Amino acid sequence: MGLGMLPLGLAFGALVIQSGLDWWWAGLSAALIYGGSFEFLLIGMVAAAAPLASVAVAAFLVQARHVFYALSFPLHQVRGRLARTYSTFALTDEAYALTATEQARTWPSARILWLQFYMHLYWAASATAGALAGSLVPDGVTGLDFALTALFTVLALDAVRGLRGDLPTPVLALLCALAARLLFPGQMLLAAFALFTAGLLARHLATGRKPTHV
């Protein structure tokens, strides 16, 4: 997972330079914000001098999913107030995917913390390297901002393969995305998440099915 973050961080760093920001902004953002998808969004907002209130609202909408991650993240395994504070800060999509399994519930505190720390280090180092090498990327290169979407597409495909024949879940996700695109094109992401969550809850109430870990 850490190696998979390297090209993503390099793309983020190069995108920072192409957006007209200083190289150190990438490393500082990766170390202190550590927001992944929100950092990609933040580049355009900073370059456009967006109001602080708009940045705060965008951060809430994009990162609100982490509240639900905490429901099954093994934070109780982490010992010490400082360690739990960092573990909460470093709870990313990738860290959650690795620690939300049944096996991870028996992991010691050190293993969880080192896992999160190394992923944080991979991200910060690759973002800084991408920014330093960003001047070598020609201005005509496009698609760097799609690197994050590509990563989550691959993760989603792996998750679908692990559903063991549970076809309705990806079908429901696709239908929600299409409905959001047609009905709420200006707020597609938020609408798709809302519809998908409502669909999962409705299916659970109707069938009594236990949630599948993706």
Side-chain angles (χ1 to χ4, degrees), residues 96-141:
Y96 176 78
L98 294 176
T99 56
T101 62
E102 199 65 34
Q103 297 87 345
R105 299 187 183 281
T106 62
W107 288 357
S109 174
R111 181 171 182 175
I112 296 174
L113 286 172
W114 280 113
L115 180 149
Q116 291 183 280
F117 172 76
Y118 276 118
M119 293 178 67
H120 192 180
L121 184 62
Y122 270 113
W123 175 249
S126 58
T128 303
L132 290 173
S135 59
L136 303 178
V137 179
D139 293 335
V141 173

Side-chain angles (χ1 to χ4, degrees), residues 12-13 15-16 19 21 25 38-48:
F12 171 72
L15 189 61
V16 166
S19 299
L21 301 175
W25 199 94
F38 173 65
E39 289 184 68
F40 276 85
L41 177 63
L42 187 61
I43 293 176
M45 300 186 76
V46 170

Side-chain angles (χ1 to χ4, degrees), residues 26-42:
L28 188 65
S29 171
L32 299 182
I33 299 178
Y34 194 34
S37 54
F38 173 65
E39 289 184 68
F40 276 85
L41 177 63
L42 187 61

Side-chain angles (χ1 to χ4, degrees), residues 19-197:
S19 299
L21 301 175
D22 293 328
W23 69 269
W24 51 263
W25 199 94
L28 188 65
S29 171
L32 299 182
I33 299 178
Y34 194 34
S37 54
F38 173 65
E39 289 184 68
F40 276 85
L41 177 63
L42 187 61
I43 293 176
M45 300 186 76
V46 170
L52 186 59
S54 299
V55 175
V57 171
F60 173 77
L61 293 176
V62 174
Q63 302 296 90
R65 66 189 186 280
H66 289 189
V67 175
F68 300 97
Y69 289 172
L71 298 176
S72 54
F73 181 74
L75 187 62
H76 62 280
Q77 295 290 110
V78 180
R79 305 301 178 189
R81 181 176 299 179
L82 183 61
R84 287 191 176 188
T85 300
Y86 175 75
S87 185
T88 302
F89 164 75
L91 177 54
T92 60
D93 301 309
E94 295 81 6
Y96 176 78
L98 294 176
T99 56
T101 62
E102 199 65 34
Q103 297 87 345
R105 299 187 183 281
T106 62
W107 288 357
S109 174
R111 181 171 182 175
I112 296 174
L113 286 172
W114 280 113
L115 180 149
Q116 291 183 280
F117 172 76
Y118 276 118
M119 293 178 67
H120 192 180
L121 184 62
Y122 270 113
W123 175 249
S126 58
T128 303
L132 290 173
S135 59
L136 303 178
V137 179
D139 293 335
V141 173
T142 59
L144 292 176
D145 52 348
F146 189 73
L148 186 65
T149 304
L151 173 63
F152 279 105
T153 299
V154 173
L155 292 176
L157 291 174
D158 288 339
V160 169
R161 294 191 186 100
L163 287 177
R164 298 179 181 178
D166 185 16
L167 184 61
T169 298
V171 171
L172 177 62
L174 179 60
L175 291 176
C176 291
L178 292 175
R181 179 68 178 86
L182 293 174
L183 300 176
F184 309 98
Q187 300 292 334
M188 178 182 171
L189 184 61
L190 181 60
F193 275 129
L195 290 173
F196 186 55
T197 302

